[in-house]
Amino acid sequence: MTLTEERAPKLFSGPHLPLVLGVIALVTLGAFENRAVGTALPTMVREFDALGSFGLANAAPNASYLVSLAIAGLWADRRGPIPALRAGAIAFSLAQLLVGTAQAMPMVVAGRLLSGLAEGLLDVALMVLVARALPAVLRPRMFSLFAAMWILPSVLGPFVTGLVTEHFGWRWVFLGAVALLAPSWLLLQPAMRMSAKTEAPERTEKQAAELEAWRAALPWAFAASVALFALTLAGDQLEAHTVAASLVIPVSLVVLGLAAVRVMPGGTFVARRGFPAVVAVRGLGGAAFAGTGAYLPLLLTLRHDFSPSKAGITLSITGVSWAFGSWLQGRDHGLQRASVLRIGLTLMTLGLAVTSLLAWTTGWFGLVGWMVAGIGMGLSSSSLSVLTLDLSDAGNSGRNTSAAQMAGTMSIATALAVSSTLLALKADDPGPWVFGTIITASAALALIALLTSHRVRTVTNPTAR
């Protein structure tokens, strides 16, 4: 064994261990909370006799998440990740307490808004903390752990939440999350103290100008947040309030498009080489995968006579295959990061094309395609996270992380709005062509992402920071 090998940094040893354990705990907690809401929310709206608020409760965190990303990126770059991380933890606790003690649906919606705010703050702050605390060579494995922490919540989350809801009440699903936050937070303390001691980098005139431009774009992020909320809600109400929803959807899409131009890095919409291309690929790939995943349970229920519990197999396939793909990208494969990204997008494109067979045939082969697409998403999504940090520096990692995640959020919302409109037009009897069109369009987006990925530029020395 050489001296270099002996000194190679390890993820689960030495000074990195507390950070890794703390991040794993927080990501797992967030994943369980995400999966728990979908299981408990139907019971909640029935108890409060507020079925009409179901769409509102679902849309609330998406809207606040978008504006939270913009705030977190600016905050983390100006003050470091610790203040945003603390605020995110406080917002998470308050959100769970509000929902867990809710006496009416408005308290639930308020808690869901806070939950989206917390998620944005925590997501960006954790990414910046990882960028500052871990050497670049360990980041791919760290992001593979991020994905792996969604396996148990995806497979067991709905089941565990169902048991808690049935035997103890849905309130304990959320109140229990507050108790689990404390040990996760304690594990992060060493890494937070280390990050707090790191001196803030001196900003160049260019970086200061970029920071000011991002601050000026915050109102547009808020506009995008409102448009996203309206878009999601209008999609849910299209059948019940056709005229109003038909007016809201195009207006929201226009506002969302204008806001995207203001908040995305320059060159994103022409996939300029480097980081703008990374953001473009993130948006295209996210819309492709989510655009199919959102409708697969409904497709299996309507076209293949699956029970609701069996239709949930798509969620399990997503969690396991995504994590497996992310684990693969974190191995010592010797490939350039851009090559791993292209392999992932190729698998996603082919997998979605095969998944579209579910709309036309009665066999299970389409689910194999969904599994392949999930592996491709794991490879590409984690690679995009690595590239985001590799193409950032200490002065803009927060904003770059925010921009990449905002691109995914906006593109997914747009794809789902268009798909839900198509579905609503045939809500009485959606034929195979409706689902076939949605999944084929997703495969086309994945193909465009693959072609665009050739404009992604990687750093030649990823260990140099």
Side-chain angles (χ1 to χ4, degrees):
M1 181 179 290
T2 65
L3 184 61
T4 302
E5 289 173 329
E6 289 177 354
R7 293 181 178 177
K10 303 292 185 181
L11 199 59
F12 286 98
S13 64
H16 304 312
L17 183 59
L19 169 69
V20 173
L21 294 178
V23 170
I24 284 176
L26 274 182
V27 171
T28 304
L29 183 59
F32 265 111
E33 190 267 350
N34 180 281
R35 295 299 188 234
V37 169
T39 305
L41 195 55
T43 302
M44 295 158 62
V45 294
R46 286 197 300 270
E47 181 175 317
F48 291 130
D49 193 21
L51 191 60
S53 298
F54 185 84
L56 193 66
N58 267 323
N62 292 329
S64 56
Y65 178 68
L66 192 60
V67 71
S68 177
L69 287 173
I71 295 172
L74 181 66
W75 198 359
D77 284 342
R78 289 176 63 91
R79 305 297 181 190
I82 307 306
L85 196 60
R86 288 198 183 105
I90 292 172
F92 180 86
S93 299
L94 290 176
Q96 307 314 305
L97 287 172
L98 264 176
V99 177
T101 60
Q103 301 302 309
M105 213 50 205
M107 285 183 69
V108 174
V109 174
R112 298 288 284 144
L113 283 168
L114 265 178
S115 181
L117 180 68
E119 185 179 357
L121 290 168
L122 291 173
D123 282 356
V124 174
L126 285 176
M127 284 280 283
V128 175
L129 188 63
V130 166
R132 293 192 177 190
L134 287 182
V137 70
L138 292 180
R139 291 173 191 163
R141 295 184 180 180
M142 189 70 227
F143 291 126
S144 69
L145 285 176
F146 273 36
M149 292 309 104
W150 280 79
I151 294 179
L152 282 179
S154 296
V155 176
L156 297 179
F159 175 72
V160 173
T161 302
L163 287 179
V164 173
T165 301
E166 290 175 11
H167 296 285
F168 302 100
W170 57 264
R171 297 180 185 278
W172 288 104
V173 173
F174 302 95
L175 296 176
V178 179
L180 292 174
L181 178 64
S184 305
W185 187 254
L186 290 175
L187 287 170
L188 274 176
Q189 292 305 303
M192 291 172 61
R193 285 194 294 268
M194 185 181 300
S195 178
K197 293 177 182 177
T198 304
E199 293 184 6
E202 294 185 7
R203 297 189 185 94
T204 64
E205 291 185 7
K206 180 182 178 181
Q207 289 174 332
E210 290 174 346
L211 202 63
E212 186 60 33
W214 184 264
R215 185 166 60 182
L218 284 180
W220 282 103
F222 180 77
S225 178
V226 174
L228 179 60
F229 184 85
L231 192 62
T232 307
L233 194 58
D236 286 345
Q237 299 297 318
L238 187 59
E239 186 177 3
H241 305 283
T242 305
V243 176
S246 297
L247 292 174
V248 169
I249 288 175
V251 172
S252 299
L253 286 173
V254 170
V255 173
L256 201 58
L258 291 173
V261 172
R262 300 306 194 282
V263 300
M264 291 296 104
T268 296
F269 292 93
V270 295
R272 193 174 68 208
R273 291 189 181 277
F275 182 65
V278 171
V279 176
V281 172
R282 180 87 176 232
L284 289 166
F289 193 76
T292 293
Y295 293 97
L296 278 185
L298 183 62
L299 167 60
L300 293 176
T301 301
L302 295 180
R303 301 294 306 167
H304 297 272
D305 296 323
F306 276 40
S307 66
S309 59
K310 286 185 178 180
I313 191 175
T314 60
L315 191 63
S316 299
I317 290 175
T318 300
V320 175
S321 60
W322 187 325
F324 179 65
S326 188
W327 175 82
L328 286 176
Q329 66 80 35
R331 300 304 91 198
D332 294 326
H333 40 63
L335 296 174
Q336 287 284 333
R337 183 54 49 183
S339 298
V340 179
L341 172 63
R342 286 191 284 272
I343 291 171
L345 291 171
T346 300
L347 290 175
M348 193 196 306
T349 303
L350 295 174
L352 290 175
V354 174
T355 304
S356 67
L357 295 176
L358 287 170
W360 311 101
T361 65
T362 57
W364 282 63
F365 192 67
L367 289 176
V368 176
W370 182 238
M371 180 183 67
V372 172
I375 294 172
M377 188 61 179
L379 285 166
S380 57
S381 178
S382 295
S383 293
L384 287 168
S385 295
V386 174
L387 286 166
T388 296
L389 295 185
D390 282 350
L391 295 173
S392 306
D393 55 42
N396 63 11
S397 57
R399 281 167 289 147
N400 284 352
T401 297
S402 295
Q405 292 180 314
M406 288 173 72
T409 302
M410 285 193 241
S411 62
I412 289 171
T414 303
L416 292 181
V418 173
S419 300
S420 64
T421 301
L422 177 63
L423 186 64
L425 293 175
K426 291 291 182 179
D428 53 340
D429 184 25
W433 71 269
V434 174
F435 294 106
T437 299
I438 291 172
I439 302 176
T440 302
S442 295
L445 287 176
L447 179 59
I448 296 172
L450 173 60
L451 298 175
T452 305
S453 67
H454 289 274
R455 301 185 64 81
V456 171
R457 185 183 70 240
T458 57
V459 289
T460 56
N461 181 15
T463 61
R465 297 304 301 164

